[in-house]
């Protein structure tokens, strides 16, 4: 009887040792979509690319405010609490606390994060096709666009070419002019190589001519 209990106990311990592997502790909830389990198919990557485009709309609000208040379309001679941000733009006074500038900074870096997220997963996926090349080309183009807009509005800014933690991001220094231009050139050259010449069925998505 003791021998049988010993064998059963030993078998139970062995089963526990096998089941308690790294895979066991690295599981994701079956009813949740997370960053860790999302990218499985071409369709998933396509949705990821769509998310990269989404932050482009932030520019419209920004330039509507900037251009109207820096031109003759709008004018703020006096400041109120609710118009401080626009008053500063009207008087060419830019600082990091301006909500309009803060919004575009956060939106464009979030767009870069989305591009990096797709690109990082493309590097590790076993999927390989013409579509996957197009997705990579789109992300490289969109990332270069966000970097260019940040450079245009804020000057030399940190260049982030992969997904990083918030703590790591704080330690990335501002780039130099030459580093930014090199970054833009590298991304666009690769995008030109990967993007299709035309988009007959998806006219709103970038093609080779946009990167050229």
């Amino acid at each position: 009887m003791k021998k049988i209990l010993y064998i059963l106990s030993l078998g139970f311990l062995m089963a526990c040792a096998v089941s308690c592997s790294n895979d066991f502790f690295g599981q994701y909830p079956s009813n949740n979509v997370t960053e860790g389990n999302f990218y499985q198919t071409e369709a998933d990557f396509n949705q990821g690319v769509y998310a990269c485009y989404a932050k482009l709309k932030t520019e419209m609000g920004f330039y509507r405010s900037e251009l109207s208040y820096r031109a003759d379309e709008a004018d703020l001679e006096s400041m109120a609490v609710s118009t401080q941000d626009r008053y500063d733009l009207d008087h060419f006074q830019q600082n990091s606390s301006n909500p309009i500038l803060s919004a575009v900074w956060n939106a464009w870096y979030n767009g870069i994060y989305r591009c990096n997220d797709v690109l990082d997963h493309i590097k590790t996926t076993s999927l390989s096709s013409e579509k996957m090349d197009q997705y990579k080309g789109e992300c490289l183009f969109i990332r270069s666009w966000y970097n260019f807009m940040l450079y245009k509005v804020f000057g030399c800014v940190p260049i982030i070419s992969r997904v990083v933690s918030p703590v790591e991001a704080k330690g990335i220094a501002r780039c130099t002019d030459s580093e930014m231009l090199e970054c833009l050139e590298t991304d666009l050259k690769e995008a030109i190589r990967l993007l299709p010449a035309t988009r007959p069925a998806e006219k709103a998505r970038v093609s080779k001519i946009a990167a050229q």
Side-chain angles (χ1 to χ4, degrees):
M1 184 67 179
K2 289 184 179 181
K3 186 176 181 180
I4 293 174
L5 289 174
Y6 174 77
I7 294 173
L8 290 174
S9 299
L10 182 61
F12 175 76
L13 290 174
M14 291 179 66
C16 289
V18 172
S19 64
C20 294
S21 63
N22 289 332
D23 291 339
F24 176 80
F25 291 106
Q27 294 183 47
Y28 296 97
S30 59
N31 62 337
N32 275 351
V33 175
T34 69
E35 187 274 337
N37 67 9
F38 176 70
Y39 293 102
Q40 302 293 330
T41 66
E42 279 190 10
D44 296 335
F45 280 95
N46 190 38
Q47 290 186 50
V49 176
Y50 278 143
C52 297
Y53 280 97
K55 291 299 177 178
L56 291 172
K57 64 183 181 181
T58 308
E59 293 174 37
M60 291 185 279
F62 169 62
Y63 280 109
R64 184 169 61 248
S65 295
E66 185 191 52
L67 293 177
S68 63
Y69 284 102
R70 288 189 170 179
D72 296 328
E73 299 174 33
D75 181 51
L76 281 176
E77 295 184 0
S78 60
M79 178 189 64
V81 174
S82 61
T83 61
Q84 175 75 59
D85 52 356
R86 286 162 285 169
Y87 178 86
D88 288 343
L89 287 178
D90 187 37
H91 291 76
F92 294 85
Q93 299 171 0
Q94 297 187 169
N95 57 68
S96 60
S97 64
N98 188 302
I100 296 175
L101 296 175
S102 178
V104 295
W105 174 278
N106 292 332
W108 292 341
Y109 267 115
N110 183 263
I112 289 174
Y113 163 79
R114 296 181 185 200
C115 292
N116 288 339
D117 189 43
V118 176
L119 291 168
D120 286 356
H121 282 90
I122 285 178
K123 291 178 183 178
T124 59
T125 185
S126 59
L127 297 173
S128 178
S129 67
E130 184 178 345
K131 277 288 186 184
M132 294 300 294
D133 286 342
Q134 291 178 17
Y135 298 154
K136 181 179 179 181
E138 285 180 272
C139 288
L140 289 170
F141 173 85
I142 299 170
R143 184 174 71 180
S144 70
W145 180 269
Y146 289 132
N147 275 320
F148 173 72
M149 297 309 299
L150 284 163
Y151 179 61
K152 184 178 178 180
V153 175
F154 300 102
C156 293
V157 296
I159 295 174
I160 303 177
S161 56
R162 59 182 177 82
V163 173
V164 298
S165 68
V167 174
E168 189 177 357
K170 290 181 179 179
I172 300 176
R174 290 160 63 101
C175 68
T176 62
D177 292 307
S178 59
E179 287 172 339
M180 176 57 76
L181 295 176
E182 182 181 357
C183 172
L184 296 175
E185 182 181 8
T186 300
D187 278 0
L188 289 174
K189 280 185 175 179
E190 183 66 0
I192 290 170
R193 187 182 72 83
L194 296 171
L195 287 169
T198 59
R199 291 277 197 178
E202 299 173 303
K203 297 185 183 298
R205 300 177 73 157
V206 296
S207 59
K208 189 184 298 291
I209 193 172
Q212 292 173 326

